[in-house]
């Protein structure tokens, strides 16, 4: 089997670390792991396959001999360095939002649109975490009875926003329990004992960028811009795992058992839906798992053609690292 030189850009970040763990767990054929970071994290010892790799500063010459470069260090880093990596001969898998809507860049969730990988011109984009788990649940329904409209509410954990955001939820929780006030730095409001209807920046239409990403990326991945979507994305005081309440209007009425079967047969999806036993997915239960879990599946009593469901996945796994590594696996098939 061939082996590849793999670079991870943002190697000491929350997603970078998860990517390295995932490459190891899934036994991706790595000849050499190149860990790239900012000057601040230079020289960090990173364990991989029982050996240590020392992180180096990302620069213009970092990609010599690199086959695959997985980027997770922010949009401006991808904007500058992804083209440099491509020029050096690497294929880039980008975790940021920077290239996702570029028509020449495939946006891929392998269980949904693996074929799109083939059209790449050097860069492949990994979708937004909330989009990735949602399209897994939407795809089989769309194939069976064309989705007309989706109404989305999300409950998103802090880990997507990085290490400092994780620390802020920890320290604010501790402080507030001791009756001390806390200072909001990573989010616009306190995140402990709170919910914040604001992820990423506001756009002119009143939506946040996170909401618009869910809308536009879903249309691109499902290759159908006639699907209408609307979303409210909300940050909740959870460390890992995003949850989503979806109302999905189909173009025809499907029996609810049929809907369950379609979801059960979808790769990457697990139906966890047993209300009589209080069984439904929650982030605390499912953090660390690769699959996307769907529960609370029911007919919308206000519309016979619509389905309500609750979708939970680990935002660092399917929402980021796992999906990126799965794209790399498609490339070496
Ligand atoms: O990749 O949770 O588009 O604050 C931007 C928002 C990643 C998660 C993306 C967050 C996201 C992030």
């Amino acid at each position: 089997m061939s082996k590849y030189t793999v670079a991870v850009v943002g190697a000491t970040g929350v997603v970078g670390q998860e990517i390295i763990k995932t490459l190891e767990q899934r036994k991706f054929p790595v000849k050499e792991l190149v860990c790239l970071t900012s000057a601040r994290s230079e020289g960090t010892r990173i364990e991989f396959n029982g050996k240590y790799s020392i992180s180096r500063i990302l620069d213009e010459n970092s990609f010599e001999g690199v086959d695959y470069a997985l980027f997770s260090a922010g949009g401006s880093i991808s904007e500058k360095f992804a083209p440099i990596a491509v020029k050096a001969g690497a294929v880039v898998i980008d975790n940021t939002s920077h290239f996702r809507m570029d028509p020449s860049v495939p946006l891929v969730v392998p269980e949904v649109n693996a074929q799109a990988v083939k059209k790449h011109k050097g860069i492949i984009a990994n979708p937004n975490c909330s989009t990735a788990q949602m399209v897994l649940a939407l795809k089989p329904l769309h194939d069976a009875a064309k989705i007309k409209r989706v109404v989305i509410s999300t409950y998103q954990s802090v880990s997507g926003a990085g290490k400092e955001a994780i620390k802020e939820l920890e320290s604010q929780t501790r402080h507030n329990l001791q009756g001390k006030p806390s200072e909001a730095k990573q989010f616009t409001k306190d995140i402990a004992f709170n919910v914040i209807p604001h992820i990423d920046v506001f756009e002119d239409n009143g939506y946040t960028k996170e909401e618009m990403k869910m809308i536009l990326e879903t249309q691109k991945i499902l290759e159908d811009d006639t699907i209408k979507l609307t979303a409210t994305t909300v940050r909740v005081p959870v460390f890992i795992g995003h949850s989503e309440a979806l109302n999905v209007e189909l173009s025809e009425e499907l029996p609810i058992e049929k809907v369950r079967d379609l979801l059960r047969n979808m790769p990457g999806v697990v139906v966890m839906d047993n209300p009589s036993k209080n069984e439904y997915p929650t982030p605390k239960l499912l953090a660390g798992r690769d699959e996307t879990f769907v529960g609370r599946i029911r007919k919308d009593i206000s519309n016979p053609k619509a389905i309500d469901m609750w979708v939970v996945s680990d935002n660092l796994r399917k929402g980021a690292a796992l999906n990126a590594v799965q794209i790399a696996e498609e490339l070496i098939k």
Side-chain angles (χ1 to χ4, degrees), residues 66-189:
V66 169
D67 298 299
Y68 299 110
L70 283 71
F71 276 68
S72 194
S76 57
I77 297 288
S78 294
E79 178 178 20
K80 176 163 179 210
F81 287 97
I84 293 171
V86 172
K87 239 191 192 150
V91 176
V92 168
I93 300 168
D94 184 32
N95 253 301
T96 76
S97 60
H98 189 75
F99 294 103
R100 289 182 191 143
M101 296 312 298
D102 182 328
S104 68
V105 173
L107 179 64
V108 179
V109 174
E111 295 90 337
V112 176
N113 64 336
Q115 76 291 343
V117 162
K118 297 197 184 84
K119 296 185 206 135
H120 82 81
K121 297 186 175 72
I123 303 176
I124 299 163
N126 202 47
N128 170 266
C129 36
S130 301
T131 309
Q133 66 182 70
M134 179 171 73
V135 294
L136 282 181
L138 295 182
K139 169 71 175 165
L141 306 187
H142 189 53
D143 286 347
K146 206 163 168 353
I147 294 172
K148 286 178 108 170
R149 180 164 181 259
V150 188
V151 181
I152 306 157
S153 302
T154 70
Y155 307 75
Q156 300 185 215
S157 68
V158 299
S159 51
K163 263 186 228 167
E164 293 307 314
I166 294 173
K167 283 194 210 152
E168 186 152 305
L169 173 56
E170 272 167 11
S171 65
Q172 269 182 5
T173 304
R174 212 174 311 110
H175 279 129
N176 287 183
L177 284 173
Q178 293 166 348
K180 295 183 201 152
S182 47
E183 197 192 346
K185 283 196 194 137
Q186 298 299 315
F187 302 108
T188 54
K189 313 282 174 202

Side-chain angles (χ1 to χ4, degrees), residues 259-271:
V259 171
R260 275 179 222 282
D261 279 342
L262 290 166
L263 288 165
R264 268 192 214 109
N265 290 326
M266 177 68 193
V269 169
V270 172
V271 171

Side-chain angles (χ1 to χ4, degrees), residues 172-212:
Q172 269 182 5
T173 304
R174 212 174 311 110
H175 279 129
N176 287 183
L177 284 173
Q178 293 166 348
K180 295 183 201 152
S182 47
E183 197 192 346
K185 283 196 194 137
Q186 298 299 315
F187 302 108
T188 54
K189 313 282 174 202
D190 273 14
I191 185 61
F193 308 102
N194 210 0
V195 297
I196 309 172
H198 176 184
I199 299 178
D200 211 333
V201 296
F202 279 103
E203 301 203 339
D204 291 343
N205 63 3
Y207 284 74
T208 62
K209 193 165 169 217
E210 185 78 354
E211 290 156 355
M212 291 310 297

